[in-house]
Amino acid sequence: MIEIKNISKKVGKKTILDDVSLKIEDGSFVVLIGPSGCGKTTTLKLINKLIEPTKGEIFINGTPISKESPIKLRRNIGYVIQSIGLFPHMTIKENIELIPKLKKQKNDEEIEEKTIELMNMVGLDPKEFLDKYPSELSGGQQQRIGLVRAIATDAEIILMDEPFSALDPITRTQLQEWLYSLQEELKKTIIFVTHDMDEALKLADKICIMKDGKVQQYDTVENLLRNPVNEFVKNFIGSDRLWNAPEYIKARDIMIKNPISVKRSRTVIQGMEIMRTNKVDSLLVVDKDENFLGIVTIKELRRNGIQNHYLSEIMNNEPVFVYDDNNLVEILEVMNREGIGHVPVVTRYNKLAGLITRSSLLSVLSEQFLEMEVSVLD
Ligand SMILES: Nc1ncnc2c1ncn2[C@@H]1O[C@H](COP(=O)(O)OP(=O)(O)OP(=O)(O)O)[C@@H](O)[C@H]1O
Ligand SMILES: [Mg+2]
């Protein structure tokens, strides 16, 4: 784990970082984002000991880095810097293999094999590029080499400072996918700086939004979208963002929270009466502990009602339902597939939580569009 504890950095009178604290779990993907000059690059440089803090300490796996030798530290941290930073007098191959060779954990053949594999992964033909010099490559190609070089070190921690900023959108998307699956597979700890919120949302486990050297919010993607702590964060994310990401809208956000429910021991006559007085056409049946058991609809009541005495005798025991943490996409899929206009919502512990109906869906969605229209008019 990387623990940044109460770090401040001053240069002269200017405060660049102001009491920054972050905990970064092993194997997680953290994105630093914020306006230009807010201190993102400075944060990376502090982790890598390229600069020293004015106050505070950074711990890596419990060890304060102020006590570590910078050389040793940097061998275990891959760093893709904002301005690429390839060594101009070394070939691409030499650039990539520099640290692996210094580490001496593998022989030259193994190192080369890895180099070739990584080159292919980022879509650069090893035969064509390995013996070239950085100045013979385009900016985007150099950025990819920077990436390969960082991965080739086998470092547990990789710092990436806007590694994709100079790439065209298609290459950028490809490399994002590549980095995402690489991370899934190798579980590196990645700290990634970007200006691009879409990129952050695509890649991050957690996002740290910074402004003027201060952390505004450090949170999971979901919490940022749902509970931005202040106006800055809200505006930074964009108010319509949640609605462009329907996978973050959960059943519990849309459902009616107190649906009409009845106990299974109710009689058919009572059930009809409850429907009539509440103006509903179905009843959700629960046991005494609110566990969800089934549904009785008005149709079934009319068809079989009179011959039966208890609701439990005619209810549908295998009703369609969704879980409260199912997302909008999943819910709509279920409703479409089953051809139903409403669906009960159940917790993972099988307690009845609510009911989603067409109109509850519509009202939530239209509220949002109303809000968007208003913000357009602002
Ligand atoms: N060595 C330095 N001396 C003085 N000021 C510095 C130094 N390095 C950085 N700064 C200032 O510190 C602030 C934060 O810089 P930093 O490079 O961390 O920003 P950033 O968030 O990475 O910005 P960008 O998105 O533009 O890369 C800026 O105002 C910058 O001018
Ligand atoms: Mg920067």
Side-chain angles (χ1 to χ4, degrees), residues 306-339:
I306 299 308
Q307 298 97 324
N308 292 285
H309 193 59
Y310 291 108
L311 289 180
S312 57
E313 295 167 58
I314 54 169
M315 74 176 182
N316 176 358
N317 288 312
E318 287 174 2
V320 178
F321 65 88
V322 295
Y323 289 111
D324 58 350
D325 58 1
N326 280 153
N327 67 46
L328 185 55
V329 179
E330 294 164 329
I331 296 161
L332 290 175
E333 208 174 88
V334 169
M335 291 174 80
N336 275 334
R337 189 179 62 223
E338 304 290 335

Short mmCIF file of all heavy atoms in Angstrom, two decimals, residues 306-339:
data_model
loop_
_atom_site.label_atom_id
_atom_site.label_comp_id
_atom_site.label_asym_id
_atom_site.label_seq_id
_atom_site.Cartn_x
_atom_site.Cartn_y
_atom_site.Cartn_z
N ILE A 306 -62.27 -16.82 -6.00
CA ILE A 306 -63.36 -17.23 -5.14
C ILE A 306 -63.22 -18.67 -4.62
O ILE A 306 -63.56 -18.96 -3.48
CB ILE A 306 -64.72 -17.01 -5.87
CG1 ILE A 306 -64.86 -15.51 -6.17
CG2 ILE A 306 -65.89 -17.50 -5.03
CD1 ILE A 306 -64.65 -14.59 -4.97
N GLN A 307 -62.64 -19.56 -5.48
CA GLN A 307 -62.51 -20.95 -5.03
C GLN A 307 -61.48 -21.09 -3.90
O GLN A 307 -61.42 -22.10 -3.24
CB GLN A 307 -62.07 -21.90 -6.15
CG GLN A 307 -63.03 -22.00 -7.30
CD GLN A 307 -62.60 -21.08 -8.43
OE1 GLN A 307 -62.09 -19.99 -8.16
NE2 GLN A 307 -62.80 -21.50 -9.65
N ASN A 308 -60.57 -20.10 -3.77
CA ASN A 308 -59.49 -20.23 -2.79
C ASN A 308 -59.73 -19.32 -1.60
O ASN A 308 -60.43 -18.31 -1.68
CB ASN A 308 -58.16 -19.89 -3.42
CG ASN A 308 -57.77 -20.93 -4.44
OD1 ASN A 308 -57.37 -22.02 -4.10
ND2 ASN A 308 -57.95 -20.58 -5.71
N HIS A 309 -59.08 -19.71 -0.55
CA HIS A 309 -59.28 -18.93 0.65
C HIS A 309 -58.13 -17.96 0.94
O HIS A 309 -58.35 -16.80 1.24
CB HIS A 309 -59.49 -19.87 1.84
CG HIS A 309 -60.01 -19.16 3.04
ND1 HIS A 309 -61.21 -18.46 3.02
CD2 HIS A 309 -59.50 -19.02 4.28
CE1 HIS A 309 -61.42 -17.92 4.20
NE2 HIS A 309 -60.39 -18.24 5.00
N TYR A 310 -56.88 -18.45 0.79
CA TYR A 310 -55.74 -17.62 1.15
C TYR A 310 -54.95 -17.15 -0.08
O TYR A 310 -54.86 -17.86 -1.08
CB TYR A 310 -54.78 -18.38 2.07
CG TYR A 310 -55.38 -18.63 3.43
CD1 TYR A 310 -55.79 -19.91 3.80
CD2 TYR A 310 -55.55 -17.57 4.33
CE1 TYR A 310 -56.35 -20.13 5.04
CE2 TYR A 310 -56.12 -17.79 5.57
CZ TYR A 310 -56.52 -19.07 5.92
OH TYR A 310 -57.08 -19.27 7.13
N LEU A 311 -54.37 -15.98 0.05
CA LEU A 311 -53.54 -15.46 -1.04
C LEU A 311 -52.39 -16.41 -1.37
O LEU A 311 -52.01 -16.58 -2.51
CB LEU A 311 -52.95 -14.09 -0.65
CG LEU A 311 -53.93 -12.92 -0.60
CD1 LEU A 311 -53.19 -11.65 -0.20
CD2 LEU A 311 -54.65 -12.75 -1.93
N SER A 312 -51.85 -17.06 -0.33
CA SER A 312 -50.71 -17.96 -0.53
C SER A 312 -51.06 -19.08 -1.51
O SER A 312 -50.19 -19.65 -2.14
CB SER A 312 -50.24 -18.54 0.80
OG SER A 312 -51.31 -19.20 1.41
N GLU A 313 -52.35 -19.38 -1.65
CA GLU A 313 -52.74 -20.48 -2.54
C GLU A 313 -52.72 -20.07 -4.02
O GLU A 313 -52.59 -20.92 -4.89
CB GLU A 313 -54.15 -20.98 -2.19
CG GLU A 313 -54.24 -21.62 -0.82
CD GLU A 313 -55.69 -21.82 -0.39
OE1 GLU A 313 -56.44 -22.50 -1.11
OE2 GLU A 313 -56.07 -21.25 0.65
N ILE A 314 -52.86 -18.79 -4.28
CA ILE A 314 -52.92 -18.40 -5.70
C ILE A 314 -51.74 -17.51 -6.13
O ILE A 314 -51.63 -17.17 -7.29
CB ILE A 314 -54.23 -17.65 -6.04
CG1 ILE A 314 -54.41 -16.48 -5.08
CG2 ILE A 314 -55.41 -18.58 -6.03
CD1 ILE A 314 -55.52 -15.57 -5.52
N MET A 315 -50.88 -17.18 -5.20
CA MET A 315 -49.82 -16.26 -5.62
C MET A 315 -48.80 -16.96 -6.52
O MET A 315 -48.63 -18.17 -6.49
CB MET A 315 -49.10 -15.67 -4.40
CG MET A 315 -48.20 -16.65 -3.72
SD MET A 315 -47.33 -15.82 -2.39
CE MET A 315 -46.31 -17.17 -1.83
N ASN A 316 -48.14 -16.17 -7.32
CA ASN A 316 -47.05 -16.66 -8.15
C ASN A 316 -45.81 -16.79 -7.26
O ASN A 316 -45.28 -15.81 -6.77
CB ASN A 316 -46.80 -15.67 -9.30
CG ASN A 316 -45.62 -16.08 -10.15
OD1 ASN A 316 -44.96 -17.09 -9.86
ND2 ASN A 316 -45.37 -15.30 -11.18
N ASN A 317 -45.38 -18.06 -7.07
CA ASN A 317 -44.25 -18.31 -6.16
C ASN A 317 -42.89 -18.03 -6.78
O ASN A 317 -41.90 -17.98 -6.09
CB ASN A 317 -44.24 -19.78 -5.74
CG ASN A 317 -45.36 -20.07 -4.79
OD1 ASN A 317 -45.57 -19.32 -3.82
ND2 ASN A 317 -46.11 -21.13 -5.05
N GLU A 318 -42.89 -17.93 -8.10
CA GLU A 318 -41.60 -17.68 -8.76
C GLU A 318 -41.67 -16.40 -9.58
O GLU A 318 -41.55 -16.41 -10.80
CB GLU A 318 -41.23 -18.87 -9.65
CG GLU A 318 -40.81 -20.05 -8.81
CD GLU A 318 -40.59 -21.30 -9.64
OE1 GLU A 318 -40.72 -21.25 -10.89
OE2 GLU A 318 -40.27 -22.33 -9.03
N PRO A 319 -41.89 -15.31 -8.89
CA PRO A 319 -42.07 -14.05 -9.61
C PRO A 319 -40.74 -13.54 -10.15
O PRO A 319 -39.68 -13.88 -9.62
CB PRO A 319 -42.59 -13.12 -8.52
CG PRO A 319 -41.96 -13.62 -7.28
CD PRO A 319 -41.88 -15.11 -7.44
N VAL A 320 -40.83 -12.75 -11.20
CA VAL A 320 -39.65 -12.04 -11.69
C VAL A 320 -39.34 -10.92 -10.71
O VAL A 320 -40.26 -10.27 -10.21
CB VAL A 320 -39.95 -11.42 -13.08
CG1 VAL A 320 -38.75 -10.65 -13.59
CG2 VAL A 320 -40.38 -12.51 -14.04
N PHE A 321 -38.08 -10.73 -10.39
CA PHE A 321 -37.72 -9.59 -9.53
C PHE A 321 -36.33 -9.12 -9.92
O PHE A 321 -35.63 -9.78 -10.70
CB PHE A 321 -37.76 -10.00 -8.05
CG PHE A 321 -36.74 -11.03 -7.68
CD1 PHE A 321 -35.46 -10.65 -7.27
CD2 PHE A 321 -37.03 -12.39 -7.74
CE1 PHE A 321 -34.51 -11.59 -6.94
CE2 PHE A 321 -36.09 -13.35 -7.41
CZ PHE A 321 -34.82 -12.95 -7.01
N VAL A 322 -35.94 -7.97 -9.41
CA VAL A 322 -34.55 -7.52 -9.56
C VAL A 322 -33.99 -7.23 -8.17
O VAL A 322 -34.74 -7.01 -7.22
CB VAL A 322 -34.42 -6.25 -10.45
CG1 VAL A 322 -34.85 -6.53 -11.88
CG2 VAL A 322 -35.21 -5.08 -9.86
N TYR A 323 -32.65 -7.25 -8.09
CA TYR A 323 -32.03 -6.89 -6.83
C TYR A 323 -31.86 -5.37 -6.74
O TYR A 323 -31.76 -4.69 -7.75
CB TYR A 323 -30.65 -7.55 -6.70
CG TYR A 323 -30.75 -9.04 -6.47
CD1 TYR A 323 -30.34 -9.94 -7.45
CD2 TYR A 323 -31.26 -9.53 -5.27
CE1 TYR A 323 -30.43 -11.31 -7.23
CE2 TYR A 323 -31.36 -10.89 -5.06
CZ TYR A 323 -30.95 -11.78 -6.03
OH TYR A 323 -31.06 -13.12 -5.82
N ASP A 324 -31.79 -4.87 -5.50
CA ASP A 324 -31.70 -3.42 -5.34
C ASP A 324 -30.40 -2.83 -5.89
O ASP A 324 -30.33 -1.65 -6.18
CB ASP A 324 -31.90 -3.01 -3.86
CG ASP A 324 -30.90 -3.65 -2.93
OD1 ASP A 324 -30.17 -4.57 -3.36
OD2 ASP A 324 -30.85 -3.25 -1.75
N ASP A 325 -29.39 -3.69 -6.08
CA ASP A 325 -28.15 -3.16 -6.66
C ASP A 325 -28.03 -3.47 -8.16
O ASP A 325 -27.01 -3.18 -8.77
CB ASP A 325 -26.92 -3.68 -5.90
CG ASP A 325 -26.85 -5.20 -5.87
OD1 ASP A 325 -27.73 -5.85 -6.45
OD2 ASP A 325 -25.90 -5.72 -5.27
N ASN A 326 -29.07 -4.03 -8.75
CA ASN A 326 -29.07 -4.16 -10.22
C ASN A 326 -29.13 -2.76 -10.84
O ASN A 326 -29.75 -1.86 -10.28
CB ASN A 326 -30.27 -4.98 -10.70
CG ASN A 326 -30.06 -6.48 -10.55
OD1 ASN A 326 -30.98 -7.23 -10.40
ND2 ASN A 326 -28.80 -6.92 -10.62
N ASN A 327 -28.51 -2.61 -11.99
CA ASN A 327 -28.50 -1.27 -12.60
C ASN A 327 -29.59 -1.12 -13.66
O ASN A 327 -30.25 -2.07 -14.05
CB ASN A 327 -27.11 -0.93 -13.13
CG ASN A 327 -26.72 -1.79 -14.31
OD1 ASN A 327 -27.51 -1.99 -15.24
ND2 ASN A 327 -25.51 -2.32 -14.28
N LEU A 328 -29.73 0.11 -14.10
CA LEU A 328 -30.80 0.46 -15.03
C LEU A 328 -30.80 -0.42 -16.28
O LEU A 328 -31.85 -0.85 -16.75
CB LEU A 328 -30.66 1.94 -15.42
CG LEU A 328 -31.76 2.53 -16.30
CD1 LEU A 328 -33.13 2.34 -15.70
CD2 LEU A 328 -31.49 4.00 -16.57
N VAL A 329 -29.61 -0.70 -16.79
CA VAL A 329 -29.52 -1.52 -18.00
C VAL A 329 -30.09 -2.91 -17.73
O VAL A 329 -30.90 -3.43 -18.50
CB VAL A 329 -28.05 -1.63 -18.46
CG1 VAL A 329 -27.94 -2.50 -19.70
CG2 VAL A 329 -27.46 -0.24 -18.72
N GLU A 330 -29.69 -3.48 -16.61
CA GLU A 330 -30.17 -4.83 -16.25
C GLU A 330 -31.67 -4.84 -16.01
O GLU A 330 -32.37 -5.78 -16.40
CB GLU A 330 -29.44 -5.32 -15.00
CG GLU A 330 -27.95 -5.53 -15.22
CD GLU A 330 -27.13 -5.64 -13.92
OE1 GLU A 330 -27.52 -5.02 -12.90
OE2 GLU A 330 -26.11 -6.33 -13.95
N ILE A 331 -32.15 -3.77 -15.38
CA ILE A 331 -33.58 -3.71 -15.05
C ILE A 331 -34.42 -3.63 -16.34
O ILE A 331 -35.39 -4.36 -16.50
CB ILE A 331 -33.88 -2.48 -14.17
CG1 ILE A 331 -33.15 -2.61 -12.84
CG2 ILE A 331 -35.37 -2.31 -13.95
CD1 ILE A 331 -32.98 -1.29 -12.11
N LEU A 332 -33.99 -2.75 -17.24
CA LEU A 332 -34.74 -2.61 -18.49
C LEU A 332 -34.72 -3.91 -19.28
O LEU A 332 -35.71 -4.28 -19.91
CB LEU A 332 -34.17 -1.46 -19.32
CG LEU A 332 -34.42 -0.06 -18.74
CD1 LEU A 332 -33.71 1.00 -19.56
CD2 LEU A 332 -35.91 0.23 -18.65
N GLU A 333 -33.59 -4.59 -19.21
CA GLU A 333 -33.47 -5.87 -19.90
C GLU A 333 -34.49 -6.88 -19.37
O GLU A 333 -35.19 -7.54 -20.12
CB GLU A 333 -32.05 -6.39 -19.67
CG GLU A 333 -31.51 -7.28 -20.75
CD GLU A 333 -30.06 -7.57 -20.42
OE1 GLU A 333 -29.81 -8.54 -19.69
OE2 GLU A 333 -29.21 -6.80 -20.89
N VAL A 334 -34.57 -6.96 -18.05
CA VAL A 334 -35.52 -7.88 -17.42
C VAL A 334 -36.96 -7.51 -17.81
O VAL A 334 -37.76 -8.35 -18.20
CB VAL A 334 -35.38 -7.87 -15.88
CG1 VAL A 334 -36.53 -8.60 -15.22
CG2 VAL A 334 -34.05 -8.48 -15.47
N MET A 335 -37.26 -6.21 -17.73
CA MET A 335 -38.64 -5.77 -18.01
C MET A 335 -39.02 -6.04 -19.46
O MET A 335 -40.13 -6.46 -19.76
CB MET A 335 -38.82 -4.30 -17.64
CG MET A 335 -38.76 -4.08 -16.13
SD MET A 335 -38.81 -2.36 -15.61
CE MET A 335 -40.55 -1.99 -15.73
N ASN A 336 -38.05 -5.83 -20.35
CA ASN A 336 -38.31 -6.10 -21.77
C ASN A 336 -38.47 -7.58 -22.04
O ASN A 336 -39.40 -8.01 -22.71
CB ASN A 336 -37.16 -5.59 -22.63
CG ASN A 336 -37.35 -4.13 -22.95
OD1 ASN A 336 -38.47 -3.64 -22.95
ND2 ASN A 336 -36.26 -3.43 -23.18
N ARG A 337 -37.53 -8.34 -21.50
CA ARG A 337 -37.54 -9.78 -21.75
C ARG A 337 -38.84 -10.42 -21.26
O ARG A 337 -39.44 -11.24 -21.92
CB ARG A 337 -36.33 -10.42 -21.06
CG ARG A 337 -36.12 -11.87 -21.43
CD ARG A 337 -34.89 -12.43 -20.73
NE ARG A 337 -35.05 -12.40 -19.29
CZ ARG A 337 -34.10 -12.02 -18.43
NH1 ARG A 337 -32.93 -11.62 -18.88
NH2 ARG A 337 -34.32 -12.04 -17.14
N GLU A 338 -39.26 -9.99 -20.07
CA GLU A 338 -40.44 -10.60 -19.46
C GLU A 338 -41.72 -9.92 -19.90
O GLU A 338 -42.81 -10.36 -19.53
CB GLU A 338 -40.32 -10.54 -17.94
CG GLU A 338 -39.05 -11.18 -17.37
CD GLU A 338 -39.05 -12.69 -17.50
OE1 GLU A 338 -40.15 -13.28 -17.57
OE2 GLU A 338 -37.95 -13.28 -17.55
N GLY A 339 -41.58 -8.83 -20.62
CA GLY A 339 -42.77 -8.10 -21.05
C GLY A 339 -43.61 -7.60 -19.90
O GLY A 339 -44.83 -7.71 -19.90
#
